[in-house]
Amino acid sequence: MAHPSLNRKSAIIINAILLFSLALIIIYKLILISEVKITKEIPIENETEVIKKEKIGNINTERIINANNEPQNWLSHGRDYHEQRYSPLNQINLETINKLELEWSLDMGTKRGLEATPIIDNGIMFVSSTWSVVHAVDAKTGKELWVYDPDVPRSWARKVCCDVVNRGVAVWEGQVYFGTIDGRLISLDAKTGKNIWEINTLIDSDKDYTITGAPRVANGKVYIGNGGADMGGVRGYVSAYNTKNGNLEWRFFTVPGDPSLPFEHPELEMASKTWTGQWWTMGGGGTVWNAIVFDPEFNQLYIGTGNGSPWNQQIRSPEGGDNLFLSSIVALNADTGKMNWYYQTTPEERWDYTATQDIILADLNVDGEDRKVLMQAPKNGFFYVLDRKTGELLRANNYVKTNWATHVDLKTGRPVLNPNKDYYEKAIWILPGTYGGHGWQAMSYDPKQKLVFIPTMEIAAVHRVKKTFEETGLYKMLPETVNTGTEFNLFDTVPDMSDGDNIPPITGELIAFDPLTGETRWSVKHKQFWNGGPLTTAGGLVFQGNASGFLEAYNAKNGKLVWSKNVYTGIMAPPVTYMIDEEQYISILAGDGGASNFLGDNFGIWEGQLASIKYGNYGKLLTFKLNGKSKIEALEEKDLSIPEQPIINASLEDIKAGQDIYANYCAICHGSGVHGKTISDLRYMSKETHEYFNEIVLNGMLEENGMKGFSDILNEKNAFEVYSYIVDVATKERSLQQRN
């Protein structure tokens, strides 16, 4: 085989070299084959050590799809793309759970809410905290490796409905992606924490947009939405960005804009026919602030959309209409953003019934046919099972008590409204309330039992049309505050009780729910309504934290409590589990807050029961393993004696006016009825706070703490009225304390 341009001797030499090279290739391939066999005998931690040396956080689509092949890691928000929050790890099980103890704890340096799900890859944990701060931690020891603070302007807190929280990061090919409260998407080097790129995702930074949700990543795209539909002028959308450079790949708007202008994509023309009036001047709402799930089997992205803005449909769409795509589950082509199908859980949305709650993907046999389904328990109280390919509604059973609708018609897919619960006619109470039957807190799934574990809530809402709109037909949306078109002053709103039912007490439960039959197999009652999301494991356990400050484990088959640990801090976040050096760990963020700050301590009913009030709200990252070597620090109970209040010259009219202002502008952070939870309870104001009250409230003296001034909305007279109301409440309750 001589080359035509070479002599015979040269050709022989080259052929010999080629034969030698071929032999080396064959030997190398034999070595590789042998290594595959050897790898099965190498412990997991040695195998992953090789990956760690190559690149930290080297996660990709293939690894997440095959997450069961490396159960020692927690690679994506819900562990894998199915987001079932079910782990195959079983070292911690019903027999060993009594040996579970704290291994390490990390002080998160905050007293605000912690909601994030950590990502763990080969011994490194990536987790977000308040104000969108990101931490990288050695998952075995708790040693902090780096911290990145995006320096969110503290004034942005006024744009936030529900605390300066963040629900997590995504990790992909050596980079960490996360959203910030002020609307940025940032990419960090997973090894060093250095900023690689950042972009502003907001279409209008003057509007009350925020990002609190965790991004998702697949096939070189990072997907992110935003929140703000409870505030003012916000229009919902989800965006896909290039993971390498942050370039915008596509964007899908969830509600149509001004119909006199070209629609951004064809689906909006159809949606616009379901709206009336001038909705676009108010934004419309429909924000994608939590549920974003990638489905590799159909290359679809499922998004859950939020409530209308404002809530009251009479204002945003006066002649009614379904108002697409509010409160909907929408399936998009993950590459292009084109809509494949949609299902609207709550047409004519007017109750703050978001469909932004977590979405789980699963395989179920439905009526004798194997189906690939998605499942969601949105706020409205009905549990939906949909065919992932077509969007066909398969089941819609109520998972909590509902009275706003009697049932969901499976033929039309629409809820059948209860005519006696129309708040356009009168003030009424409904279940679920605006907190929903289920909030953003995660739910988990047991693929063996085919059960979903849901942290449910029963908390009624009293709805009434805003008085000023009722009287004048006019409504003005105010910047950087809640704009719902409904009354927030519950003291001045008496609901119609002619149906004979009594408003039930506020409760929360963890339920084991059959998605096909609608049966609740077992339930665990909690002392409060606002508790954490669960984790299910192959060890036969369901883990959940609660507002009383306990992390607990239940038998997945019957709900029996098998382990409980007082951590002295309320918990909203879900636990995760992972393994290092053949030892299984359970890790969770402890730190209460979020939307529950509005209810505070339920007007004193839960005094002494909420860990965040009883001990303070010291945010921690807690990690447990069998025979853990650390101890949880026991905290002393706080002195809740209300201090003596100053004597002021305020009239009953001042106090009543202050009550209304407080309910509309202050309660969302400082608690209804001046009963705060994790943000300052104003009954306990210091002497200095009393002295500088106007400077704080009007001029933003404490803006760097997140308390921006309200001089754009309130004047000095208003500030005095609010102050009068706070002092009046504190004085009366101090007197009651002293008598008791």
Side-chain angles (χ1 to χ4, degrees):
M1 191 175 68
H3 193 282
S5 63
L6 299 175
N7 58 35
R8 180 180 176 83
K9 184 177 180 181
S10 298
I12 291 171
I13 293 170
I14 288 174
N15 284 339
I17 292 170
L18 288 172
L19 287 170
F20 180 72
S21 299
L22 182 61
L24 285 176
I25 291 170
I26 293 170
I27 293 168
Y28 177 67
K29 287 188 174 182
L30 287 171
I31 291 170
L32 287 180
I33 293 170
S34 300
E35 282 185 343
V36 170
K37 294 177 181 177
I38 293 170
T39 303
K40 294 180 181 178
E41 300 172 6
I42 296 175
I44 288 173
E45 65 274 11
N46 291 341
E47 181 182 346
T48 56
E49 192 66 32
V50 175
I51 299 173
K52 193 191 298 185
K53 287 177 181 176
E54 290 179 359
K55 186 185 286 186
I56 291 176
N58 191 23
I59 300 172
N60 55 35
T61 302
E62 198 66 25
R63 285 186 67 194
I64 298 175
I65 290 173
N66 297 301
N68 283 345
N69 293 340
E70 43 180 309
Q72 74 276 11
N73 293 319
W74 191 282
L75 299 176
S76 188
H77 190 66
R79 197 182 75 85
D80 62 9
Y81 285 132
H82 286 84
E83 302 221 357
Q84 296 180 0
R85 294 181 180 269
Y86 173 86
S87 171
L89 297 179
N90 61 8
Q91 185 182 84
I92 300 169
N93 54 50
L94 289 167
E95 294 181 358
T96 62
I97 186 70
N98 62 322
K99 298 178 183 177
L100 190 64
E101 296 290 347
L102 183 72
E103 175 65 9
W104 57 261
S105 173
L106 179 65
D107 184 350
M108 300 303 286
T110 183
K111 292 185 179 181
R112 303 291 287 263
L114 294 172
E115 299 184 354
T117 297
I119 303 295
I120 299 100
D121 184 31
N122 300 310
I124 307 297
M125 178 185 293
F126 304 92
V127 65
S128 59
S129 177
T130 51
W131 294 109
S132 316
V133 175
V134 177
H135 305 252
V137 181
D138 185 315
K140 183 175 182 178
T141 66
K143 178 184 177 183
E144 212 158 47
L145 303 176
W146 54 257
V147 179
Y148 183 86
D149 186 343
D151 292 323
V152 173
R154 286 346 191 211
S155 60
W156 211 275
R158 246 193 75 179
K159 295 174 179 278
V160 179
C161 80
C162 311
D163 208 351
V164 289
V165 294
N166 189 284
R167 280 180 290 283
V169 306
V171 181
W172 179 267
E173 294 185 347
Q175 296 181 49
V176 179
Y177 302 91
F178 68 103
T180 65
I181 284 285
D182 60 343
R184 289 172 286 158
L185 178 65
I186 297 179
S187 169
L188 305 177
D189 184 295
K191 184 176 181 180
T192 65
K194 291 183 178 178
N195 186 307
I196 297 175
W197 56 256
E198 69 175 72
I199 48 99
N200 180 10
T201 71
L202 304 185
I203 57 174
D204 187 346
S205 294
D206 291 332
K207 303 296 185 185
D208 294 343
Y209 282 106
T210 56
I211 296 178
T212 58
R216 308 297 199 277
V217 187
N219 296 332
K221 295 180 180 64
V222 54
Y223 306 100
I224 192 74
N226 49 56
D230 297 322
M231 309 303 278
V234 166
R235 179 189 182 197
Y237 58 92
V238 63
S239 307
Y241 294 92
N242 186 291
T243 55
K244 292 182 179 178
N245 52 33
N247 289 341
L248 180 65
E249 299 280 342
W250 56 257
R251 174 169 287 155
F252 181 88
F253 285 94
T254 60
V255 297
D258 185 345
S260 68
L261 301 174
F263 292 111
E264 290 88 349
H265 44 84
E267 297 89 345
L268 294 175
E269 184 174 4
M270 177 268 287
S272 69
K273 296 174 183 177
T274 68
W275 292 74
T276 64
Q278 295 185 329
W279 72 87
W280 62 92
T281 63
M282 291 166 260
T287 48
V288 185
W289 56 264
N290 187 54
I292 302 174
V293 177
F294 173 68
D295 183 348
E297 295 177 79
F298 297 106
N299 193 37
Q300 291 188 140
L301 191 76
Y302 307 111
I303 60 171
T305 68
N307 53 276
S309 180
W311 296 354
N312 186 344
Q313 193 191 30
Q314 292 175 315
I315 298 172
R316 69 171 191 269
S317 187
E319 295 176 38
D322 285 352
N323 291 183
L324 294 173
F325 298 98
L326 297 181
S327 302
S328 299
I329 299 168
V330 183
L332 306 174
N333 181 300
D335 292 333
T336 65
K338 181 181 178 182
M339 186 176 76
N340 292 334
W341 57 260
Y342 74 91
Y343 174 77
Q344 189 173 38
T345 62
T346 312
E348 306 175 40
E349 201 290 303
R350 70 190 75 154
W351 305 273
D352 188 26
Y353 283 161
T354 65
T356 52
Q357 286 57 48
D358 280 12
I359 292 171
I360 285 176
L361 310 185
D363 295 336
L364 287 178
N365 186 281
V366 183
D367 301 326
E369 182 180 351
D370 290 336
R371 297 279 198 130
K372 294 188 178 298
V373 304
L374 67 76
M375 301 182 287
Q376 190 191 47
K379 273 189 176 184
N380 72 9
F382 293 98
F383 190 97
Y384 296 90
V385 181
L386 303 178
D387 185 290
R388 280 150 50 194
K389 184 177 181 180
T390 65
E392 178 189 355
L393 177 64
L394 303 175
R395 292 289 190 277
N397 296 300
N398 60 298
Y399 63 93
V400 291
K401 182 179 179 181
T402 61
N403 69 6
W404 70 281
T406 58
H407 65 286
V408 174
D409 186 323
L410 289 180
K411 291 183 179 179
T412 65
R414 300 176 69 90
V416 179
L417 300 185
N418 180 349
N420 296 321
K421 294 296 181 180
D422 183 359
Y423 73 82
Y424 294 164
E425 302 293 328
K426 56 192 175 185
I428 53 94
W429 69 272
I430 63 166
L431 279 173
T434 53
Y435 278 103
H438 171 222
W440 62 264
Q441 287 91 335
M443 61 183 187
S444 65
Y445 181 64
D446 184 343
K448 295 177 181 177
Q449 297 189 84
K450 309 293 184 186
L451 295 178
V452 183
F453 303 103
I454 314 170
T456 64
M457 301 179 281
E458 185 169 271
I459 172 170
V462 176
H463 281 291
R464 178 182 176 177
V465 174
K466 194 78 172 174
K467 284 183 186 177
T468 52
F469 176 74
E470 210 168 34
E471 294 166 357
T472 66
L474 301 174
Y475 183 75
K476 181 181 180 181
M477 298 189 82
L478 298 174
E480 298 185 349
T481 190
V482 174
N483 288 276
T484 65
T486 60
E487 284 295 340
F488 259 52
N489 187 354
L490 302 183
F491 293 102
D492 200 31
T493 305
V494 180
D496 178 81
M497 304 295 289
S498 60
D499 57 10
D501 283 345
N502 293 320
I503 298 177
I506 298 172
T507 59
E509 297 185 20
L510 175 66
I511 68 170
F513 186 79
D514 187 319
L516 296 182
T517 67
E519 176 191 0
T520 295
R521 296 281 185 85
W522 55 257
S523 65
V524 175
K525 289 189 180 296
H526 293 302
K527 292 181 179 179
Q528 293 85 33
F529 78 108
W530 192 254
N531 303 292
L535 161 72
T536 313
T537 74
L541 298 168
V542 180
F543 290 89
Q544 185 196 25
N546 59 49
S548 298
F550 288 82
L551 175 61
E552 298 183 325
Y554 304 94
N555 185 317
K557 289 187 176 180
N558 55 32
K560 180 182 177 182
L561 179 66
V562 295
W563 179 84
S564 180
K565 188 68 66 175
N566 188 355
V567 302
Y568 299 92
T569 303
I571 297 173
M572 304 184 288
V576 297
T577 187
Y578 56 94
M579 182 172 274
I580 300 174
D581 294 336
E582 298 184 352
E583 291 187 298
Q584 184 182 353
Y585 294 77
I586 303 289
S587 193
I588 191 168
L589 280 170
D592 207 348
S596 69
N597 283 328
F598 175 69
L599 192 61
D601 71 353
N602 192 14
F603 305 99
I605 294 174
W606 294 332
E607 187 175 339
Q609 297 179 20
L610 285 163
S612 57
I613 296 175
K614 193 174 181 180
Y615 304 110
N617 194 47
Y618 299 97
K620 308 167 194 171
L621 177 58
L622 302 168
T623 300
F624 300 79
K625 74 178 184 71
L626 299 181
N627 302 310
K629 299 184 295 293
S630 299
K631 297 292 182 183
I632 295 172
E633 180 186 359
L635 300 178
E636 291 186 7
E637 293 188 26
K638 290 170 59 180
D639 180 4
L640 298 178
S641 301
I642 298 172
E644 185 176 358
Q645 301 295 303
I647 298 173
I648 59 174
N649 185 21
S651 66
L652 290 176
E653 288 75 16
D654 289 331
I655 293 169
K656 184 170 176 54
Q659 180 189 70
D660 190 66
I661 295 169
Y662 181 94
N664 283 283
Y665 303 122
C666 312
I668 195 168
C669 290
H670 296 288
S672 296
V674 202
H675 278 248
K677 189 178 181 183
T678 67
I679 301 174
S680 302
D681 185 325
L682 301 181
R683 294 174 298 166
Y684 298 92
M685 287 191 294
S686 67
K687 182 180 178 181
E688 290 74 24
T689 304
H690 280 283
E691 184 178 350
Y692 293 105
F693 188 85
N694 276 20
E695 283 296 311
I696 295 168
V697 172
L698 297 177
N699 301 325
M701 181 179 177
L702 297 181
E703 184 172 305
E704 281 307 302
N705 293 348
M707 176 62 194
K708 184 181 178 182
F710 281 76
S711 59
D712 58 324
I713 295 176
L714 306 177
N715 56 36
E716 287 195 6
K717 184 176 187 300
N718 299 144
F720 177 74
E721 289 165 342
V722 173
Y723 181 69
S724 301
Y725 170 61
I726 293 168
V727 170
D728 182 66
V729 170
T731 300
K732 289 175 179 176
E733 295 195 3
R734 171 179 162 81
S735 176
L736 186 63
Q737 277 186 349
Q738 290 179 327
R739 286 202 302 270
N740 292 337

